[in-house]
């Protein structure tokens, strides 16, 4: 299984900003942890972080035929990026939206995602574990496709 993990604006500042919201794990530690967890699961994982919407869209456009799924934390783009939404919808690659904090327990403007309706699912509020849960979801999806149809 090959997964692309896209991390949006300000996620490069993990461990430095709003530790009460995002935790103590630094961006570098998160990358190492996710690579380790992916390897243990037999997943090829590419992690890409950008503070630029167009760079994230370009990576999404590259996904068909290259990646089995996308794990996406769009950061603040969650709430207003129709361009990211349209890119996900256009490529038709299963995508799970992940948020480290529980966006539904935060400010009102953070409680709406324009991205979620075009995603396979959303995981919110489990800190760095959300990315691991997304990997597990993709593995379960793949395994369920391998099961014979019941009669």
């Amino acid at each position: 299984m090959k997964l692309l993990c896209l991390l949006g604006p300000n996620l490069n500042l993990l461990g430095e900003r709003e530790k009460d919201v995002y935790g103590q794990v630094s961006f570098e530690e998160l990358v190492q942890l996710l690579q380790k967890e992916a390897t243990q699961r037999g997943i090829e994982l590419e992690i890409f972080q950008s503070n630029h919407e167009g760079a994230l869209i370009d990576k999404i456009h590259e996904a068909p035929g290259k990646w089995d799924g996308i794990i996406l934390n769009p950061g603040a783009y969650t709430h207003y990026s129709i361009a990211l939404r349209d890119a996900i919808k256009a490529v038709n690659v299963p995508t799970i939206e992940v948020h480290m904090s529980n966006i539904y327990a935060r400010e009102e403007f953070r409680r709406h995602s324009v991205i979620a309706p075009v995603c396979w699912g959303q995981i919110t509020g489990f800190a760095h574990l959300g990315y691991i849960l997304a990997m597990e979801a993709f593995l379960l999806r793949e395994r369920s496709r391998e099961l014979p149809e019941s009669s």
Side-chain angles (χ1 to χ4, degrees):
M1 169 155 297
K2 296 171 68 174
L3 298 176
L4 174 62
C5 181
L6 294 178
L7 305 171
N10 299 311
L11 289 165
N12 57 307
L13 298 177
L14 289 173
E16 300 173 32
R17 69 183 272 250
E18 298 181 85
K19 292 179 183 181
D20 57 322
V21 175
Y22 301 105
Q24 304 290 323
V25 175
S26 72
F27 176 74
E28 293 78 18
E29 291 169 328
L30 175 67
V31 168
Q32 290 174 3
L33 172 71
L34 296 182
Q35 288 294 357
K36 178 184 171 191
E37 293 289 336
T39 300
Q40 290 174 350
R41 289 165 173 77
I43 296 171
E44 180 182 330
L45 181 69
E46 179 179 329
I47 300 171
F48 178 80
Q49 188 278 328
S50 181
N51 295 316
H52 305 282
E53 185 178 38
L56 296 168
I57 291 168
D58 288 344
K59 291 300 271 189
I60 292 167
H61 287 178
E62 295 170 8
K66 184 174 182 180
W67 303 105
D68 299 310
I70 299 171
I71 299 169
L72 171 65
N73 183 337
Y77 292 135
T78 301
H79 317 295
Y80 65 89
S81 180
I82 302 304
L84 275 176
R85 174 196 169 103
D86 288 350
I88 292 164
K89 189 173 182 180
V91 299
N92 199 31
V93 174
T95 301
I96 298 176
E97 181 181 342
V98 172
H99 296 282
M100 296 179 73
S101 67
N102 181 352
I103 62 173
Y104 301 102
R106 297 186 64 195
E107 302 94 335
E108 183 64 36
F109 72 90
R110 295 188 194 274
R111 297 178 190 170
H112 178 73
S113 170
V114 298
I115 308 290
V118 296
C119 290
W120 177 43
Q122 183 189 66
I123 299 170
T124 179
F126 293 99
H128 63 279
L129 297 176
Y131 301 103
I132 297 166
L133 291 169
M135 285 186 233
E136 287 294 327
F138 278 115
L139 288 172
L140 288 169
R141 176 187 169 114
E142 187 65 26
R143 284 186 207 126
S144 69
R145 288 182 180 184
E146 295 171 2
L147 294 175
E149 302 233 357
S150 59
S151 46

